[in-house]
Amino acid sequence: MTPATPAAAAAAAQIRQRLLSISSPSSSSSSSACCRLRLPARPRAAPRSMSAEARPAPSPVAVPPPAHPTYDLSAVIALALSEDAGDRGDVSCLATIPTDVKAEATFIAKEDGVIAGISLADMIFKQVDPSLKVEWFEDDGNLVHKGLQFGKVYGCARSIIVAERVVLNFMQRMSGIATMTKAMADAARPACILETRKTAPGLRLVDKWAVLIGGGKNHRLGLFDMVMIKDNHISVAGGITNAMTSVDQFLEKEKLAVPVEVETRTLEEVRDLLKYSDENKTSLTRIMLDNMVVPLPNGDIDVSMLKDAVKLINGRFETEASGNVTMDTVKKIGETGVTYISSGALTHSVKALDISLKIDTELALEVGRRTNRA
């Protein structure tokens, strides 16, 4: 991930200044004079891992985001905060919470899943108000259960509430992706699970980061880091052999060394691609076997075509199964011998994991138990 550009950094600084003006204690209020919103102390739900005090401090980013040459994560955070703040800031906080009030808020999991976005939450809190103190009792990638209190933030009450929804929006989406990824990755073994480019616009890096946290691997980040010849390329080029010939010529001319994947839809296309590789020096690294998983009327799947393709390739190239990949089918697909299984559903239609951030933890848990969400 590259550093922010000067323009993006300036924009982020302007947004941060606007947010701080509505959420931080005024300069005339000393820290010793700040009020603290005090609620009855309540024990945290017992975490599945050791307490924060008992275990070594985690690394700053346990699972780092994918490296992208142009993606500016700070600018994405700034945009999310800016769309919330608008041109007035948080008028609800301005109306109800004095600048000198401090509070403590607790993160509560409202369903079972894999937590993700903790490192990103730290970035958001820091961008809103560097004086906020955040403590976590779980790490990115850990399993959490319904009702678990897995972190807390304390400091200026306004700052906490300004950051709350942006933090939760990112964490809930990322945790949903990580939860689905872990389930699919466990079922797919020995194959590896991949996402696709079917990510939310503007959140490509965030979505793919969540896949890594969930135990999956990243497919290409964009159009720049892999040559991927799909059906439309093949149709325009006049066939799979012509397309592959053009790719090898282009890479040699430009002196580029990037992975090359070609989508095949039939066993004939697989044979044509293998014949080309036998007769030519090629940059081909992976063969996609698209829609070779056939759904059956009884809800099962027929993977015989996929198995035949894997047998033809015989380990000469990596293989990737794509199409008709669900939680119900991924285990059977993984048993065919493919190297990878890609699923757009990991990111394009994932269900967010329900998480809350509450100042009155006791009341939040009482309501959660009443609604079966704690």
Side-chain angles (χ1 to χ4, degrees):
M1 186 171 56
T2 56
T5 62
Q14 290 175 357
I15 292 165
R16 180 162 56 251
Q17 183 62 38
R18 183 192 305 162
L19 291 164
L20 289 174
S21 70
I22 68 166
S23 61
S24 296
S26 63
S27 57
S28 60
S29 300
S30 68
S31 58
S32 61
C34 283
C35 303
R36 183 173 180 83
L37 185 59
R38 296 191 180 277
L39 295 168
R42 299 290 167 184
R44 295 190 299 268
R48 291 184 175 178
S49 62
M50 293 183 289
S51 69
E53 294 79 8
R55 61 181 174 159
S59 58
V61 182
V63 180
H68 191 291
T70 61
Y71 197 96
D72 186 344
L73 193 52
S74 294
V76 171
I77 293 170
L79 177 61
L81 292 167
S82 177
E83 68 183 2
D84 232 9
D87 59 353
R88 288 194 178 95
D90 186 346
V91 293
S92 304
C93 276
L94 290 170
T96 61
I97 302 176
T99 58
D100 58 354
V101 171
K102 292 197 171 187
E104 178 178 292
T106 301
F107 285 92
I108 306 172
K110 300 172 83 172
E111 57 184 319
D112 298 350
V114 176
I115 199 68
I118 284 176
S119 295
L120 183 57
D122 284 336
M123 297 177 198
I124 297 168
F125 282 126
K126 184 177 181 181
Q127 196 152 324
V128 170
D129 183 350
S131 72
L132 291 174
K133 305 298 182 186
V134 188
E135 184 179 8
W136 301 104
F137 316 118
E138 301 292 339
D139 293 325
D140 277 327
N142 285 7
L143 291 170
V144 296
H145 59 80
K146 183 169 66 174
L148 180 69
Q149 299 173 44
F150 63 89
K152 62 183 179 181
V153 55
Y154 35 95
C156 176
R158 282 191 182 182
S159 297
I160 292 171
I161 295 172
V162 164
E164 173 193 359
R165 179 44 50 195
V166 173
V167 166
L168 289 176
N169 283 350
F170 277 115
M171 287 191 74
Q172 287 179 308
R173 178 174 176 83
M174 289 183 72
S175 296
I177 292 171
T179 299
M180 174 65 80
T181 300
K182 177 168 175 52
M184 276 203 172
D186 288 347
R189 290 192 180 96
C192 298
I193 200 76
L194 308 170
E195 85 296 81
T196 68
R197 283 168 52 239
K198 297 174 183 177
T199 53
L203 297 182
R204 173 70 55 79
L205 192 95
V206 174
D207 283 1
K208 285 179 173 284
W209 190 2
V211 168
L212 294 179
I213 291 170
K217 294 189 176 181
N218 288 151
H219 209 303
R220 58 177 178 160
L221 292 178
L223 301 173
F224 61 91
D225 57 334
M226 171 188 262
V227 173
M228 187 167 176
I229 304 304
K230 294 178 67 66
D231 51 359
N232 286 335
H233 301 102
I234 293 167
S235 297
V236 173
I240 206 162
T241 300
N242 288 347
M244 194 63 236
T245 300
S246 296
V247 167
D248 283 331
Q249 291 174 348
F250 172 80
L251 293 179
E252 183 176 2
K253 178 183 176 183
E254 299 297 326
K255 294 180 171 51
L256 285 179
V258 293
V260 176
E261 179 171 10
V262 176
E263 176 185 299
T264 59
R265 299 155 291 180
T266 66
L267 293 179
E268 182 181 0
E269 286 187 330
V270 174
R271 292 188 185 96
D272 287 344
L273 195 55
L274 293 174
K275 183 175 184 294
Y276 172 85
S277 70
D278 286 340
E279 297 173 354
N280 299 273
K281 180 183 177 182
T282 181
S283 51
L284 179 66
T285 53
R286 186 185 305 172
I287 300 176
M288 176 184 285
L289 308 170
D290 191 48
N291 285 311
M292 295 188 186
V293 175
V294 181
L296 300 174
N298 65 358
D300 200 0
I301 54 171
D302 179 1
V303 294
S304 58
M305 184 179 180
L306 184 61
K307 284 183 176 179
D308 289 344
V310 171
K311 187 176 180 181
L312 279 172
I313 297 166
N314 194 29
R316 291 155 66 187
F317 301 100
E318 296 176 342
T319 53
E320 177 186 333
S322 176
N324 293 309
V325 178
T326 68
M327 272 306 307
D328 294 328
T329 64
V330 70
K331 184 177 188 301
K332 195 168 184 178
I333 296 171
E335 292 169 347
T336 63
V338 292
T339 317
Y340 299 105
I341 302 172
S342 56
S343 171
L346 289 179
T347 55
H348 71 55
S349 55
V350 71
K351 176 184 176 294
L353 191 74
D354 199 359
I355 301 168
S356 64
L357 178 62
K358 296 297 182 182
I359 291 173
D360 191 339
T361 308
E362 180 186 18
L363 180 57
L365 289 172
E366 178 185 326
V367 173
R369 286 188 287 268
R370 186 173 70 224
T371 57
N372 197 31
R373 294 161 72 199

